Amino acid sequence: MTSLPQPAPGATKLGLVIDLDTCVGCHACAVSCKEWNHGGASGPLPDYDSRGANPDGLWFNRIHSYETEGGACGSRTVNFPRSCLHCEEPQCVTVCPTGASYKRAEDGIVLVNPDICIGCKLCSWACPYGAREFDEDESIMKKCTLCVDRIYNETLPEAEREPACVASCPSRARHFGDLGDPNSAVSLLVLARGGVELMPELGYKPTNRYLPPRKAVVPTGPVEKPLRAGTGFSASLLSLVDRVLSR
Amino acid sequence: MTPSASVLLLTTLTGFGYGLLAWLGVFGAARGLPQQPWFGPLAIGFALAFASAGLLASTLHLGRPERAWRAFSQWRSSWLSREGVAAVLTYLPALAFAAFWWFDGPGAGTTLVAGLAAGAMGMITVACTAMIYASLKPVRHWNNAHTLPDYLLFALYSGALLLMLALALGGGDLKGAALLAAVLGLLGLVAKLAYWRHVDHAAPLATLGSAIGIRGATARPLDKPHFTQNYILREMGFQVARKHATRLRKIVIVCAFLAPTLLALAAAFGLWPAAMAFVAVILAACGLLAERWLFFAQAVHVAALYYGHEV
């Protein structure tokens, strides 16, 4: 059913909080996502011409890097992981003609039923974030599942029941939790750091939040002045050597 | 957006077919068609052949065409599903129109009602097709007030040209249809120019700063996630060189609108009407295909922002 579930106040909204301040752009999330989901419920995630001149393939996570200027964080490099935001108003779901795309009422995860997808690609056109990718081998659309086959997986130790991208992040820039609960750790983090929605002007109400980079403050000590060790030629020479070496 | 042949054929051919069906309904009701028993069913078949060819072409766009029947289920939320339902439902009044014409006669009340119903259902199908594009918020070249009226207008225009040809071949009086086609051709040209003016001057949907969640900053891409193509770039990052687009727009103005309009006027005043109508339809088909190609190729998807494209 591609009509959206009625949003209930206090309903669970599982999602990610991604810290653009601490993301180092290492692509570990993308690789572990690919690894888990290749063998997971949405697998395989095929690659095409992977050892050829034009490698191509299906990834649910894409890591961009940008240079920013101005704004609160000043000029800096920002690494930006891009994946499905599990929106509250996902047009990718409502445009689906078959009911293959759906948003779960119980936790807000947006999924594709691979058995009834006709591969019309309209959902990917309806997503402003470029989150859905087409499987050319199976001719159906695939997308981030928020690792639905990990987070509820009782065969995994409880500590591992989080999305693969979150588990693998070496700088802990990715957080997973219930953004519908205002007192959850992720909601408090968003509140403390001023977390934002991407492209709110399009009205998709994404669940995932991004924490903006903080302005870097580099502590600098007092600058040492070269000492003058007296007067005369040798003192001047020493002073010159000192200045040169102090540079 | 990448212009794929199946979707270009779908939108253009259904425009011709359902446009002709609409005018057959209206002209039938106004007694403006030849009254021979064979004319109605043949002309209706001609219209349905165009529409069906378009619909069949669209299934080539599907990754899993064998599951296409599932697309009739989500008409509550999806314009693509509504298009499918409307397209199938249109066959019922259209076939009834042909049957009543043959059995009850062209002037019968049943024929008149079925004809108008078939025409209306055809135009509803065209409207659903237009809404698939007009409702997509990430593409500002489609998500605007021009898309729906333009699709309806171009369908009525191409249908009027086909009616002129059908009347020329069927030995009817084509003056009314030819003048109608000429008027619609000029209206279509004005609508297309207004659309281009709008999309060339409208503000972008979002900035890269907003797309990556950093307000008030200018951002530019440093490293892409991948060095070669991916699905998003192939499907949503299609770019057409401005010089080609300018040339194609001139071709559209002349081939889709001006030349067929002049030929229709010539046909209206009795200058080799059948030949004029035939050439007008061929030129308009080529011109409207070019118009539709530009409608896709020049449409920019907001997700291309992430790759540094201008949206």
Side-chain angles (χ1 to χ4, degrees):
Chain A
M1 190 61 185
T2 55
S3 297
L4 298 175
Q6 283 296 318
T12 304
K13 288 192 262 175
L14 294 185
L16 300 174
V17 174
I18 297 173
D19 190 343
L20 298 181
D21 194 52
T22 53
C23 173
V24 293
C26 69
H27 294 241
C29 50
V31 174
S32 64
C33 164
K34 177 99 171 172
E35 190 261 341
W36 174 267
N37 284 296
H38 186 64
S42 275
L45 305 192
D47 287 313
Y48 324 110
D49 194 25
S50 56
R51 281 141 209 260
N54 291 299
D56 191 347
L58 200 68
W59 296 72
F60 294 159
N61 242 324
R62 300 270 185 188
I63 321 304
H64 299 253
S65 293
Y66 300 101
E67 284 178 322
T68 66
E69 244 179 289
C73 65
S75 303
R76 57 174 285 167
T77 300
V78 175
N79 300 303
F80 176 82
R82 180 170 60 82
S83 60
C84 174
L85 307 171
H86 298 279
C87 303
E88 278 182 69
E89 298 280 340
Q91 212 192 357
C92 60
V93 169
T94 52
V95 300
C96 175
T98 68
S101 280
Y102 61 105
K103 183 171 176 69
R104 302 195 341 159
E106 63 268 37
D107 51 19
I109 299 179
V110 176
L111 293 174
V112 179
N113 177 350
D115 296 328
I116 62 173
C117 172
I118 57 173
C120 71
K121 301 179 182 172
L122 189 56
C123 55
S124 66
W125 295 6
C127 173
Y129 308 103
R132 289 174 172 243
E133 300 206 4
F134 191 68
D135 181 336
E136 309 279 356
D137 288 351
E138 284 188 77
S139 296
I140 56 171
M141 195 58 71
K142 294 190 172 177
K143 69 177 292 299
C144 159
T145 66
L146 205 65
C147 281
V148 71
D149 47 356
R150 281 180 70 93
I151 59 178
Y152 295 112
N153 192 336
E154 292 184 356
T155 63
L156 291 178
E158 206 167 332
E160 287 181 27
R161 288 178 209 163
E162 57 181 1
C165 58
V166 175
S168 62
C169 180
S171 62
R172 296 232 167 245
R174 302 179 74 103
H175 307 266
F176 164 68
D178 177 11
L179 286 145
D181 171 6
N183 297 313
S184 68
V186 280
S187 294
L188 295 174
L189 182 62
V190 169
L191 199 63
R193 292 278 308 281
V196 296
E197 295 177 14
L198 304 183
M199 289 194 269
E201 57 269 44
L202 268 89
Y204 282 62
K205 295 188 192 162
T207 299
N208 288 10
R209 291 287 187 275
Y210 284 74
L211 307 179
R214 288 173 280 205
K215 192 169 178 67
V217 181
V218 181
T220 47
V223 181
E224 281 183 42
K225 285 195 174 143
L227 290 173
R228 197 167 256 275
T231 51
F233 175 73
S234 59
S236 299
L237 186 66
L238 272 176
S239 171
L240 177 69
V241 170
D242 183 42
R243 275 211 301 278
V244 169
L245 294 178
S246 302
R247 272 173 198 256
Chain B
M1 305 293 293
T2 189
S4 69
S6 53
V7 182
L8 301 185
L9 286 174
L10 161 76
T11 56
T12 319
L13 291 177
T14 53
F16 272 96
Y18 292 132
L20 174 58
L21 196 58
W23 289 124
L24 286 175
V26 171
F27 275 66
R31 303 277 193 282
L33 299 176
Q35 300 294 299
Q36 290 93 332
W38 52 265
F39 181 82
L42 258 183
I44 295 161
F46 192 44
L48 289 181
F50 268 87
S52 307
L55 295 171
L56 277 177
S58 77
T59 61
L60 299 177
H61 180 70
L62 301 181
R64 305 293 284 254
E66 76 279 9
R67 297 176 178 174
W69 60 273
R70 292 186 182 274
F72 300 120
S73 66
Q74 302 302 312
W75 49 270
R76 286 180 198 82
S77 73
S78 163
W79 282 107
L80 178 52
S81 184
R82 286 170 197 160
E83 180 202 39
V85 172
V88 170
L89 286 183
T90 304
Y91 284 97
L92 300 177
L95 293 175
F97 184 23
F100 287 137
W101 182 297
W102 183 264
F103 292 112
D104 294 1
T110 45
T111 313
L112 188 152
V113 171
L116 289 175
M121 274 310 299
M123 294 319 288
I124 288 173
T125 311
V126 172
C128 290
T129 307
M131 284 309 294
I132 294 173
Y133 305 107
S135 68
L136 284 178
K137 286 194 277 187
V139 187
R140 68 173 176 85
H141 295 72
W142 298 347
N143 185 225
N144 56 52
H146 292 262
T147 303
L148 176 61
D150 283 6
Y151 264 77
L152 290 172
L153 180 57
F154 299 156
L156 288 173
Y157 164 57
S158 43
L161 287 172
L162 264 191
L163 178 67
M164 177 173 78
L165 179 62
L167 288 172
L169 298 176
D173 176 17
L174 56 66
K175 190 164 186 180
L179 288 176
L180 179 72
V183 170
L184 289 170
L186 290 180
L187 279 178
L189 177 60
V190 171
K192 197 72 230 183
L193 292 175
Y195 166 82
W196 284 333
R197 197 181 153 75
H198 169 76
V199 296
D200 289 348
H201 293 93
L205 275 182
T207 62
L208 182 52
S210 163
I212 64 173
I214 299 175
R215 305 284 143 69
T218 56
R220 63 169 184 272
L222 187 64
D223 279 332
K224 286 204 281 180
H226 42 94
F227 296 105
T228 52
Q229 289 281 296
N230 74 339
Y231 171 71
I232 300 297
L233 281 172
R234 273 183 275 120
E235 190 79 7
M236 258 82 78
F238 189 88
Q239 288 175 309
V240 50
R242 190 163 294 148
K243 71 172 184 186
H244 296 317
T246 310
R247 186 170 299 162
L248 270 167
R249 282 185 178 186
K250 286 179 187 153
I251 290 175
V252 169
I253 290 171
V254 174
C255 200
F257 299 109
L258 282 182
T261 298
L262 289 176
L263 293 170
L265 283 176
F269 294 108
L271 197 67
W272 305 304
M276 290 293 172
F278 184 73
V279 177
V281 166
I282 298 290
L283 275 179
C286 297
L288 286 171
L289 272 175
E291 179 271 321
R292 220 48 57 88
W293 190 88
L294 279 176
F295 178 76
F296 281 86
Q298 290 204 295
V300 185
H301 195 281
V302 74
L305 262 182
Y306 289 109
Y307 290 91
H309 292 196
E310 280 183 28
V311 304

